[in-house]
Each structure stands twice: as structure tokens, then as C-alpha cells.
């Protein structure tokens, strides 16, 4: 974005059982500005056929790549027409990308079908110096979509943000100050993927903002909501799309069992994997089926997607899932995003319960017995394998960044049992460093930012290691009564501790990071701390256990909590509403009541 402010605001001392673990004041950083410049723009026609005269455009922003992608349909009077990019310019006064797609007569045909024609296109605009705050898309002389890129850049498209499982959106926006419940929704099984599908203008007499995809039908932009959509797994099975502002259901898709984890959303397609062994591709706007593939066994974790998505993508990508049958646990399966064809299958040799981490070079698999495997993305051939300890439990999903592969586990070695972070050279698998988190620590998943690893762990009075199938390996009391937890920031290159904090409440899931703030789920709330120095942003207490890493996007924080509910938190000054079962106001001083 052209203007982005990272708040490290001086926090008041906060009360409550959750807040009592903190109380460290932060600082305020200066706003940073960059002037975006268009360095490249191109348009590709992806399909063309008879249509109904309607038009639409969906805007997606990739802040990490300084790139804006517009997928749209422009209407033409006949099949004798095609589409071209008439202009892509930055408007400094409006801080907006102004993009125009026009229809022109084709020169390569003499005869063509005489029908209203829908031309499907993709326009990609690359910037230098950051992204503008908005995008305005015109089809010929009509404005089709006006989209706030601040929200679009905060997309959280996969379970751990990206295919490498970093759990970090460096330019994203979660809340930085005390929060309240914006809405709750019942019967939600998973944490959400969040995608801003574009903000339109006037929507006729209702006066509501246009929604998921700005579309032109006659003279009005139509849609609903603010463009932010939460894609979740439903308790009874299937995928649901919820309005990010209200929590209202936009559509549901039932032809898949209970999801194994958060869906992934790429290029307008939702990819979901069910514990019934079905992997599906669903249109993100309509909920229509793209393809439905059955794999042998039960899928054990959220899918990971790389490359392009959708049946008409010019560069189809890959959906990676892990399935386990009675005799073949931990099979890694690579599926074509375009048509659902299985590209390859590879046995990992053990149980795998967490999402894979994928880079251009390798597929990283964390087995429950403490082995980290690297496979070729081309055919699944094993490139290297490493073991983190002789007796291992609570192995997290791997994460990869800047040439290093990270994972955490509770292990037994010559120094005794404890929670540890292990780091390997991503290419060779050679050990780089190891860091202890504490003898009573049960590690949660990691977040790997630029130069810093955010780690967290629950602290238990008595801990016994277990094997990959859940059986105890070492003796002792296995009561596992939680006695609090800890949060750590480690130097990503050598493991040196930058800071650490303890919590009086159990840490229930790993941290996620957006815009310099780390969000740590707790049994009874959420803690938000500054990644650079551990200073307190805010804590929120409420009577529920957060069951998965938080999803920060578009200034909100989405939390999956026990009893199959999704809670959306927003700024405390906002007036919240409840879409499902009520969860009382959440702020930093008192807990709400479940009604």
C-alpha cells in the first residue's frame, strides 16, 4: 500500500487472567510511504463464448510481489470481438490503479457467431514502490469495479498464509488495539481462508456496498457485503462461504465430507479436502463444482496449493494433500488444479497430520515420528530425510523461508526431554541450529518472518512423549494439565533468542503474524504482541478455547473456537453483530458470556 502504519501503540496495563501474563508497553513507529509506479501491464484473453451481456471483474492484490491481478468478463456485441488492455495507470491524487479493458473487432476472422459474447480475461499489473490503495476497473466506458486494495492485500489464502507455511503476512492487517466481537457463526469446523474479492459501488435501492465480485448488470453494480469472504469447513461436512463483514452465508457446497483443515483459495477457486477422502475444486464466487476427486484413504490435513488455480488457468498449479489408509499412512498426493488429475503419489513411510510446506524446489513433509522429508515436486522422489530425535511427539508442520526449513517438536535427547525448534538447510537437509523452548514445553506451529521465528508452547506440569500413533513411549504421569505457556522470538539465522514471554493461560495453537503483530491463541482468549520486541498490543479474554491459529485479515481477526464456532474480532469502537450463537463483547478487561 502507498501508506501503511504499523501500530506499536503504548498499551495500557490490561486486566483479566489472560492479560495478567503481559503488561509491557510498546512504542509508536512512524508511518512509511512509497509512491507506486506501474512497471508492467499485460492482458490475456482466457476464453470467449456466448453470454448474457453481464460483466464482472475481481481484483486480487499480492503485496509481496507488488502485483495486482484482475480476472473479469467483458461483454461484446458478437464473437467478432476480442478484448485488449487500453490502459493501466496510477492515479496519484486518488492513490488508485485505473485499469481499462476495451473490446475491439478481431482481424483474424471473417465469419463469427452473432450473439452477445462474454470474453473472459486476466490482466496483471506489476508495480515498483508498493501497491496503490485502490483499483478502479473500466470495461470500455463503464466502471465495473472499485476495489480497496488495502483489504485485498490482506488475503489469507491458505491455512498458514502461503504454500511455504510461513504463517506471516508482512503487509497484512489484523487488529492492533482492543477488540470486540463483530460476529460469530455456529457449525464451523475449521479456521477460515480469507479473500477480498473486490469492493463495488452502489447496489441499487438497498444502498449496500457491492460484494464479492463487482459486476455490471444494466446500469447498476450488484453484490453484497464488503468484498471480504471467509471460506470454512462446516461441522457436518462441506464448504461454506461467509460474508467477512457480517458472517452471513453466501453459499455452501455439500459434496465433500468434514474438512481436514482450512480450505485454500487460488485464482478464484476454493480447494478443500475432506476426511472422507474427497478433494474438490469449487468456484469461489458461486460455489459451483469445478471437479471432485476421490483419493484412497482419509485426508489428514489442510491442502497446500502452488501455482495457478481453476480449470481455465493459463498455468495450472498443484494441490498437495496427505491421505492415510489402513496399510499406507502418510501418502503424499499431487493433484492438478485445472482438472483434478492425480500427477503423482508417494508414500512418506509414517503418519503425517499437518499441512505440507512447498517451495519451487522441494515438498517438505513433517512426519509424526519426528522425521522431516524433502520430496521432488516433479515426481515425489525423496531427496533427503532427517530425524529430529529418538523419541518425539507434538511435531509441527514444517515452514520454509530464505533457504531454511523449520519445525518444532517435543523430543528426548542427551539433555533430557523438552520442546525444541529444529532448523535445516532447505536444499541439503543439513542441520543449522536447534533451540530449546523449555523442559515442560509442548510446542505449537511456527511463524517465520523476515529474520525472526515466532514460536510458542503450552506448559504442562507432567509431560510424556508419545509415538506417531498416540501411544506413550516414556513413563510418567500423562495427566497433561496445562499450567500456562510461553511465546518466543528467535533469530531466524542462528536461533538466538530475541525475547520471550510467559502466559498464565494455556497456549492452544501456534502464532500467526500480520503487519508486525504476532497473534497467539489461548485457552480463554487471544494475545497480540509486537514481533520486534514482544511489547503488548492487546489481549482479549472470552469464555472459549481457541482451537487453531488465528487468521488476521482486512483489520479483523478470525478465530476458530471450541463448540464449532467462528468468531470475528474487530476494533472495539465498532458496533458488532451476531450471525450465529452469541458470544458476548470481547475486550481487554472482561470476558463475555456464552448464551
Amino acid at each position: 500500500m502507498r501508506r501503511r502504519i504499523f501500530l506499536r501503540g503504548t498499551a495500557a496495563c490490561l486486566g483479566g487472567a489472560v492479560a495478567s501474563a503481559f503488561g509491557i508497553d510498546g512504542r509508536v513507529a512512524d508511518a512509511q510511504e512509497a509512491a507506486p509506479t506501474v512497471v508492467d501491464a499485460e492482458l490475456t484473453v482466457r476464453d470467449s463464448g456466448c453470454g448474457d451481456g453481464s460483466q464482472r471483474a475481481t481484483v486480487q492484490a499480492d503485496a509481496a510481489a507488488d502485483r495486482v491481478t484482475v480476472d473479469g468478463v467483458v461483454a461484446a456485441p458478437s464473437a467478432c470481438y476480442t478484448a485488449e488492455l487500453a490502459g493501466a495507470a496510477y492515479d496519484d491524487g486518488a492513490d488508485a490503479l485505473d485499469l481499462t479493458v476495451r473490446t475491439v473487432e478481431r482481424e483474424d476472422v471473417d465469419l463469427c457467431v452473432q450473439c452477445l459474447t462474454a470474453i473472459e480475461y486476466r490482466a496483471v499489473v506489476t508495480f515498483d514502490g508498493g501497491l496503490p490503495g485502490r483499483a478502479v476497473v473500466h470495461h470500455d466506458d463503464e466502471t465495473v469495479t472499485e476495489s480497496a486494495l488495502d483489504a485485498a492485500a490482506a488475503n489469507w489464502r491458505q491455512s498458514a498464509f502461503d504454500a511455504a507455511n510461513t504463517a506471516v503476512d508482512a503487509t497484512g492487517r489484523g487488529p492492533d488495539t482492543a477488540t470486540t466481537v463483530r460476529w460469530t457463526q455456529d457449525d464451523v469446523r475449521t479456521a477460515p481462508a480469507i479473500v477480498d474479492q473486490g469492493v463495488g459501488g452502489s447496489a441499487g435501492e438497498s444502498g449496500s456496498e457491492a460484494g464479492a465480485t463487482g459486476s455490471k448488470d444494466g446500469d447498476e453494480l450488484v453484490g453484497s457485503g464488503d468484498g471480504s469472504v471467509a471460506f470454512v469447513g462446516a461441522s457436518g461436512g462441506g464448504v461454506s462461504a461467509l460474508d467477512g463483514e457480517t458472517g452471513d452465508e453466501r453459499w455452501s457446497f455439500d459434496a465433500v465430507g468434514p474438512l481436514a483443515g482450512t480450505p485454500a483459495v487460488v485464482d478464484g477457486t476454493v480447494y478443500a479436502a475432506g476426511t472422507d477422502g474427497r478433494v474438490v475444486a469449487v468456484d469461489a464466487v458461486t460455489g459451483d463444482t469445478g471437479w471432485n476427486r476421490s483419493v484412497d484413504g482419509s485426508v489428514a490435513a489442510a491442502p497446500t496449493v502452488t501455482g495457478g488455480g481453476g480449470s481455465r488457468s493459463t498455468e495450472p498449479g498443484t494441490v498437495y494433500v496427505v491421505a492415510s489408509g489402513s496399510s499406507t499412512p502418510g501418502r503424499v498426493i499431487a493433484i492438478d488444479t485445472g482438472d483434478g488429475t492425480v500427477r503423482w503419489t508417494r508414500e512418506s513411510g509414517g503418519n503425517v497430520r499437518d499441512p505440507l510446506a512447498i517451495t519451487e524446489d522441494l515438498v517438505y513433509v513433517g512426519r509424526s515420528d519426528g522425521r522431516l522429508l524433502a520430496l521432488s515436486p516433479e515426481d515425489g522422489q525423496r531427496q533427503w530425510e532427517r530425524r529430529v530425535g529418538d523419541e518425539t511427539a507434538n511435531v509441527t508442520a514444517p515452514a520454509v523461508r530464505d533457504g531454511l526449513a523449520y519445525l518444532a517438536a517435543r523430543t528426548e535427547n542427551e539433555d533430557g526431554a523438552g520442546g525444541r525448534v529444529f532448523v535445516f538447510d532447505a536444499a541439503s537437509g543439513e542441520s543449522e541450529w536447534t533451540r530449546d523452548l523449555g523442559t515442560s514445553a509442548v510446542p505449537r506451529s511456527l511463524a517465520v518472518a523476515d529474520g525472526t521465528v515466532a514460536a510458542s508452547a503450552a506448559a504442562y506440569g507432567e509431560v510424556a512423549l508419545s509415538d506417531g500413533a498416540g501411544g506413550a513411549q516414556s513413563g510418567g504421569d500423562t495427566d497433561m494439565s496445562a499450567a500456562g505457556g510461553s511465546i518466543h522470538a528467535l533469530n531466524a539465522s542462528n536461533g538466538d533468542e530475541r525475547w520471550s514471554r510467559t502466559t498464565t493461560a494455556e497456549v492452544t495453537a501456534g502464532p500467526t503474524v500480520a503487519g508486525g503483530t504476532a497473534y497467539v491463541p489461548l485457552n480463554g482468549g487471544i494475545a497480540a504482541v509486537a514481533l520486534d520486541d514482544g511489547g503488548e498490543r492487546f489481549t482479549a479474554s472470552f469464555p472459549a478455547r481457541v482451537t487453531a491459529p488465528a487468521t488476521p485479515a482486512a483489520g479483523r481477526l478470525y478465530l476458530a473456537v471450541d463448540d464449532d464456532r467462528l468468531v470475528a474480532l474487530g476494533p472495539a469502537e465498532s458496533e458488532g453483530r451476531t450471525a450465529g450463537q452469541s458470544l458476548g463483547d470481547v475486550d481487554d478487561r472482561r470476558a463475555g458470556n456464552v448464551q
Side-chain angles (χ1 to χ4, degrees), residues 238-239 256 259-264 270-274 278-282 291 303 319 321:
V239 185
V256 63
L259 298 195
T262 300
V270 182
Y271 299 93
R278 304 208 70 85
V279 183
V280 298
V282 182
W291 48 260
V319 185
V321 298

Side-chain angles (χ1 to χ4, degrees), residues 309-584:
S311 61
R312 296 172 181 169
S313 175
T314 56
E315 297 182 4
T318 306
V319 185
Y320 295 89
V321 298
V322 179
S324 293
S326 57
S327 60
T328 55
R331 287 181 303 107
V332 180
I333 304 170
I335 302 172
D336 188 289
T337 59
D339 58 11
T341 300
V342 174
R343 290 179 170 171
W344 53 260
T345 299
R346 187 68 57 186
E347 294 184 15
S348 70
N351 288 313
V352 180
R353 296 173 178 166
D354 294 294
L356 310 175
I358 318 291
T359 67
E360 292 183 359
D361 301 316
L362 291 170
V363 176
Y364 299 87
V365 184
R367 280 191 350 206
S368 300
D369 61 358
R371 292 186 181 271
L372 178 62
L373 283 63
L375 312 179
S376 166
E378 298 299 324
D379 55 13
Q381 289 291 336
R382 189 170 304 189
Q383 304 302 300
W384 54 259
E385 177 180 336
R386 298 292 180 268
R387 188 170 186 174
V388 300
D390 293 332
E391 295 182 353
T392 307
N394 303 102
V395 179
T396 70
V400 184
R401 188 177 183 125
D402 297 332
L404 296 175
Y406 304 80
L407 86 164
R410 183 166 177 82
T411 64
E412 180 87 39
N413 61 21
E414 62 274 9
D415 298 323
R420 297 178 173 92
V421 176
F422 300 88
V423 181
F424 304 88
D425 182 278
S428 67
E430 295 302 316
S431 177
E432 292 289 335
W433 55 263
T434 301
R435 172 62 58 182
D436 287 348
L437 300 179
T439 58
S440 63
V442 175
R444 305 308 189 192
S445 57
L446 304 172
V448 185
D450 184 14
T452 301
V453 179
S456 64
Y460 290 87
E462 298 289 344
V463 179
L465 296 171
S466 63
D467 59 23
Q473 284 188 332
S474 60
D477 188 354
T478 57
D479 180 48
M480 297 290 283
S481 298
S486 59
I487 309 169
H488 310 260
L490 309 177
N491 184 306
S493 61
N494 58 25
D496 288 348
E497 188 167 85
R498 300 187 188 279
W499 54 260
S500 65
R501 300 288 182 266
T502 59
T503 66
T504 58
E506 176 196 1
V507 174
T508 56
T512 49
V513 175
T517 298
Y519 301 94
V520 182
L522 305 171
N523 185 3
I526 189 83
V529 298
L531 183 62
D532 59 355
D533 61 8
E536 182 185 352
R537 303 287 206 208
F538 69 87
T539 57
S541 303
F542 47 84
R545 177 187 176 90
V546 184
T547 58
T551 306
R556 299 187 185 93
L557 196 63
Y558 299 86
L559 306 174
V561 303
D562 51 7
D563 297 328
D564 284 358
R565 284 174 295 163
L566 182 66
V567 179
L569 303 182
E573 61 270 19
S574 301
E575 182 180 351
R577 68 179 293 274
T578 300
Q581 183 179 1
S582 175
L583 183 72

